[in-house]
Amino acid sequence: MTNPALVEELKSLVEPGKVLTDADSLQAYGKDWTRHFAPAPSAIVFPKTIEQVQAIVRWANAHRVALVPSGGRTGLSAAAVAANGEVVVSFDYMNQILEVNLTDRTAVCQPGVITEQLQNKAEEHGLYYPVDFASAGSSQIGGNIGTNAGGIKVIRYGMTRNWVAGMKVVTGKGDLLELNKDLIKNATGYDLRQLFIGAEGTLGFVVEATMRLDRAPKNLTAMVLGTPDFDSIMPVLHAFQGKLDLTAFEFFSDKALARIMGRGDVPAPFETDCPFYALLEFEATTEDVANHALETFEHCVEQGWVLDGVMSQSETQLQNLWKLREYISETISHWTPYKNDISVTVSKVPEFLKEIDAIVGKHYPDFEVVWYGHIGDGNLHLNILKPDNLGKDEFFAKCATVNKWVFEIVEKYNGSISAEHGVGMTKRDYLTYSRSPVEIEYMKAIKAAFDPNGIMNPGKIFAV
Amino acid sequence: MTNPALVEELKSLVEPGKVLTDADSLQAYGKDWTRHFAPAPSAIVFPKTIEQVQAIVRWANAHRVALVPSGGRTGLSAAAVAANGEVVVSFDYMNQILEVNLTDRTAVCQPGVITEQLQNKAEEHGLYYPVDFASAGSSQIGGNIGTNAGGIKVIRYGMTRNWVAGMKVVTGKGDLLELNKDLIKNATGYDLRQLFIGAEGTLGFVVEATMRLDRAPKNLTAMVLGTPDFDSIMPVLHAFQGKLDLTAFEFFSDKALARIMGRGDVPAPFETDCPFYALLEFEATTEDVANHALETFEHCVEQGWVLDGVMSQSETQLQNLWKLREYISETISHWTPYKNDISVTVSKVPEFLKEIDAIVGKHYPDFEVVWYGHIGDGNLHLNILKPDNLGKDEFFAKCATVNKWVFEIVEKYNGSISAEHGVGMTKRDYLTYSRSPVEIEYMKAIKAAFDPNGIMNPGKIFAV
């Protein structure tokens, strides 16, 4: 799409100055947090109303121009990357929370609302938006819906899917659909809202979303527990789930902790060195609850599942314990990690992890494997750090081989090749490890119904 | 489908004796709890395996025979009625719980598992299946999924949708799809599982479902509160939601209570007569929680929102308070009620209810309107009892007029014409009051992708 007449036509659809074609903007808005693809969009357009979004989609259909939705661009699967002359549709100027309803506990959001903005707005009203993750300060609600964002509180609150009361979408045909009208109960045929959640913008644009809010959590309290081996983490999870309503159950390995300790700005949880650590969180609503937690801790120690542990006694200690987990991704990014975001059912996690560890260790004994993740959801982040003496290209070439092994093991365990990061372009060619060819055909048929000209984020999820 | 050769061919696909064509069976298996349509199926087939279901669907495609899925036949929208010579596919012989996994807290169910069977199995393992409603003793899991069943605990636990970890379906084309593989996190494209939930068997058959289980609730405690008017119920809901995690918040009118009292087998909650009553439930995990409830009750009395109230002190009292709500439907069935199951967002409920009350009262002052429902979800059951001096036909003719008014008000308030009962045949012609014509076109396109020959439960949700 380099035709200047087309760009002029596009400009006529939005407010003055709301189409950018300068090199810096193309570079900035053409990419997400992945760095595998060089951004090369034709233009960036910033609609301010739903009508403008519809006009853009109709224009794109008329001229067969590919559109790429753009939110906070914090994605990790290149779903929001424009590498092939597409027009990027950015929601940066549709960023208002239009209404908060305290009886319904809902907030009507434009798609460009930042996750943290919604979290703060909820807090102002004594409520809580529970979907939370490292990029909450930049990611946008529209993007969260497009990828069905998960994060650190899924064990209690579920994914973004659970928090979308209703939404307005503009389909790939330019139709405006008002989906579910924010109802809790609505048994009137197929719930199209669910299709758009996690569709990565391949069916249409989310142009407004009513998000549910929850009551604020009370006296959140965290424990970090060191275990003698990975297998012990599962009975610990089981024991605590039997006694407490957990809001989080995360884990990380000694190698992950070592990197955090290397920063020098996070206190160690305790002195005992352990190969694995669990971080769990709950609402200590009464002293009883805290006592249950301590009793369960003692039980786990007696059983030999836990070597040492600590429980937060203050908000500061809570924050410090969470830093042990939340800083990992950023900290290890200095070692050019090969990353994978995989999941299996919780009960299969120990075997699954061991099998991957064994195969990587056998073929690449010099690779440092850093494990962490949302163990309560069966979601593991596998990170392999580049050895200092290995070139970047050679490292990534070896990792491509690892990729295949990992995905074969994922398939064997009936798991997911992308637990919460989406498919985009990075996982597209591996989709059959998690979805059958027949399933993919049905997905394509649905895509064709909503986007017959294939203008909506082509090349994402499926190859064009 | 009266061709005997076809029936013989059908018999060859399943075990001996598993195709019935006698009049009694056709009558019994051709209907659900609605009585608007005369059952007229051609045959009833009972598959015992997934392969047999696939064979039946392929046979139906080859001969263009319409199939109707049949579970517990407790539906209230005629979605499982075979009134046009269809073949009924009953899942009565696929009724096993195949596996319970305590770590994943899941149970793998065949579609014919009775809801109560799953509830009991969960209880055996110290767990809980929280979707519960009056027909739990007969309804089947496959049917619950097909209608996305709700019930009395939605405010805390959500609809059936929230509890389906994964499922196997046979599409209208005969393909077996294994959807979501029971994963908590799986961001690999469109979540087709969601499409089949609430699809009323129009896309394919649910042939296996992995249902999530929860921890058992602790010390459930109910309160029944009498309010001076309907409007007071909303601030009561708000007050209690701010202090407690409610597991239910139901309401009923004095007219509903009067009918229950007329039975003579349920104790009155308290002496004060009130026009409306709220029933709420919570887990009294500690004394603190019960104290919060009592403080909130006192606050509501001070504010004039509550005239009288009672809190259960034992399991028996809990059960007795619940009878006030749960017996309504069965009790009023003696007065040939015209029933509607409608919803709006919670904040709109008071105005919505008043408007319907006014229009019915104005035109039919002799009609007794009995309101009850799941007020915490915005779901109201509107029941109009037939006056003794009015003939059945005349009553239902007048109700058809009421129907139109009610649905016009539903549309005005952006509500749902079917909150939890589904569309089936009874609501099919009213679908546009809740879904736009464009939305319905997309729904039909999806139907065509999964069931190109239109053999799956034709005439349900959409007209044929």
Side-chain angles (χ1 to χ4, degrees), chain A residues 101-105 147 151 154 159 161 171 173 175 177-179 181-192 194-195 198-200 202-203 215 218 238 241-243 245 286 288 343-347 374 376-377 379 414-423 431 433-435 438-439 442-443 445-447 449-450 461-462, chain B residues 101-105 147 151 154 159 161 171 173 175 177-179 181-192 194-195 198-200 202-203 215 218 238 241-243 245 286 288 343-347 374 376-377 379 414-423 431 433-435 438-439 442-443 445-447 449-450 461-462:
Chain A
N101 185 313
L102 297 181
T103 302
D104 294 331
R105 287 185 172 172
T147 55
V154 169
M159 314 285 285
R161 184 181 302 282
T171 70
K173 291 165 82 172
D175 294 315
L177 305 182
E178 199 180 330
L179 301 176
K181 300 174 179 176
D182 312 344
L183 299 166
I184 295 173
K185 285 181 167 180
N186 181 19
T188 55
Y190 315 150
D191 190 348
L192 302 181
Q194 307 292 347
L195 265 184
E200 304 183 16
T202 60
L203 302 177
R215 70 159 174 79
K218 295 166 190 160
H238 211 227
Q241 270 189 320
K243 291 289 175 189
D245 292 337
T286 66
D288 276 9
S343 74
V344 290
T345 54
V346 176
S347 58
H374 318 288
D377 321 316
N379 179 190
N414 249 336
S416 175
I417 58 159
S418 186
E420 57 176 358
H421 294 170
V423 180
L431 192 56
Y433 285 102
S434 278
R435 308 290 295 259
V438 184
E439 255 190 285
Y442 283 107
M443 283 163 61
I446 289 168
K447 161 95 173 159
F450 286 91
I461 303 182
F462 321 105
Chain B
N101 186 313
L102 297 181
T103 302
D104 294 332
R105 288 183 172 174
T147 55
V154 169
M159 315 285 285
R161 185 181 300 284
T171 70
K173 291 165 80 171
D175 294 315
L177 306 182
E178 199 181 329
L179 302 177
K181 300 173 178 176
D182 313 343
L183 299 165
I184 296 173
K185 286 182 166 179
N186 181 19
T188 55
Y190 315 150
D191 190 348
L192 302 181
Q194 307 292 345
L195 265 185
E200 304 182 16
T202 60
L203 302 177
R215 69 159 175 81
K218 296 167 190 160
H238 211 227
Q241 270 189 321
K243 290 289 174 189
D245 292 337
T286 66
D288 276 9
S343 73
V344 291
T345 55
V346 176
S347 58
H374 319 286
D377 321 318
N379 179 190
N414 249 337
S416 175
I417 58 158
S418 186
E420 56 177 358
H421 294 169
V423 180
L431 192 57
Y433 285 102
S434 277
R435 308 289 295 258
V438 185
E439 256 190 284
Y442 282 107
M443 284 163 61
I446 289 168
K447 161 95 172 159
F450 286 90
I461 303 182
F462 322 104

Side-chain angles (χ1 to χ4, degrees), chain B residues 211-226:
Chain B
M211 307 304 290
R212 292 201 186 288
L213 306 174
D214 203 30
R215 69 159 175 81
K218 296 167 190 160
N219 194 24
L220 284 175
T221 301
M223 289 178 111
V224 169
L225 308 173

Side-chain angles (χ1 to χ4, degrees), chain A residues 218-219 221 223 240 243-246 281-296 311, chain B residues 218 285-286 288-289:
Chain A
K218 295 166 190 160
N219 194 24
T221 301
M223 289 177 112
F240 276 93
K243 291 289 175 189
L244 300 172
D245 292 337
L246 298 175
E281 191 194 59
F282 56 93
E283 294 176 278
T285 43
T286 66
E287 245 174 71
D288 276 9
V289 176
N291 288 340
H292 280 314
L294 288 172
E295 281 159 29
T296 310
M311 184 161 92
Chain B
K218 296 167 190 160
T285 44
T286 66
D288 276 9
V289 176

Side-chain angles (χ1 to χ4, degrees), chain B residues 175-463:
Chain B
D175 294 315
L176 175 65
L177 306 182
E178 199 181 329
L179 302 177
N180 201 52
K181 300 173 178 176
D182 313 343
L183 299 165
I184 296 173
K185 286 182 166 179
N186 181 19
T188 55
Y190 315 150
D191 190 348
L192 302 181
R193 168 184 52 152
Q194 307 292 345
L195 265 185
F196 279 80
I197 299 171
E200 304 182 16
T202 60
L203 302 177
F205 293 117
V206 176
V207 293
E208 194 178 292
T210 304
M211 307 304 290
R212 292 201 186 288
L213 306 174
D214 203 30
R215 69 159 175 81
K218 296 167 190 160
N219 194 24
L220 284 175
T221 301
M223 289 178 111
V224 169
L225 308 173
T227 68
D229 46 44
F230 184 79
D231 283 3
S232 296
I233 288 183
M234 305 312 286
V236 172
L237 171 62
H238 211 227
F240 276 92
Q241 270 189 321
K243 290 289 174 189
L244 301 172
D245 292 337
L246 298 175
T247 53
F249 194 96
E250 301 281 308
F251 92 109
F252 46 90
S253 67
D254 52 354
K255 296 202 171 66
L257 183 67
R259 298 295 174 169
I260 295 289
M261 291 300 103
R263 296 167 56 108
D265 63 345
V266 183
F270 40 72
E271 289 206 349
T272 316
D273 284 330
C274 305
F276 287 97
Y277 299 85
L279 185 161
L280 60 90
E281 191 193 58
F282 56 93
E283 294 177 278
T285 44
T286 66
E287 245 174 72
D288 276 9
V289 176
N291 289 339
H292 279 315
L294 288 173
E295 281 159 27
T296 310
F297 166 67
E298 280 159 23
H299 171 72
C300 290
V301 171
E302 280 162 22
Q303 297 292 319
W305 302 328
V306 165
L307 300 175
D308 204 347
V310 60
M311 184 161 92
S312 67
Q313 303 295 331
S314 68
E315 179 68 21
T316 308
Q317 280 184 25
L318 174 74
Q319 299 307 334
N320 280 337
L321 291 181
W322 266 112
K323 285 176 188 169
L324 297 170
R325 166 66 187 83
E326 290 207 274
Y327 282 5
I328 299 173
S329 181
E330 183 205 324
T331 306
I332 63 172
S333 69
H334 304 293
W335 287 273
T336 321
Y338 154 88
K339 295 171 90 76
N340 247 317
D341 166 45
I342 47 190
S343 73
V344 291
T345 55
V346 176
S347 58
K348 290 178 193 157
V349 163
E351 255 187 291
F352 174 72
L353 182 142
K354 239 174 269 174
E355 198 160 331
I356 291 176
D357 249 357
I359 201 156
V360 177
K362 184 178 159 200
H363 293 276
Y364 297 116
D366 54 331
F367 279 10
E368 180 171 331
V369 178
V370 176
W371 285 103
Y372 62 97
H374 319 286
I375 197 92
D377 321 318
N379 179 190
L380 308 175
H381 295 305
L382 163 65
N383 290 264
I384 301 175
L385 308 193
K386 190 182 77 57
D388 290 337
N389 58 357
L390 198 64
K392 215 168 162 178
D393 289 348
E394 199 187 340
F395 175 63
F396 279 119
K398 287 186 174 182
C399 286
T401 321
V402 174
N403 219 32
K404 199 169 164 290
W405 297 332
V406 169
F407 288 166
E408 278 167 2
I409 298 171
V410 168
E411 188 176 30
K412 176 178 156 191
Y413 283 89
N414 249 337
S416 175
I417 58 158
S418 186
E420 56 177 358
H421 294 169
V423 180
M425 291 197 281
T426 62
K427 301 287 167 62
R428 186 184 72 187
D429 299 335
Y430 304 101
L431 192 57
T432 50
Y433 285 102
S434 277
R435 308 289 295 258
S436 73
V438 185
E439 256 190 284
I440 294 170
E441 284 312 307
Y442 282 107
M443 284 163 61
K444 286 182 177 171
I446 289 168
K447 161 95 172 159
F450 286 90
D451 176 31
N453 295 323
I455 59 154
M456 289 303 310
N457 215 5
K460 315 299 163 57
I461 303 182
F462 322 104

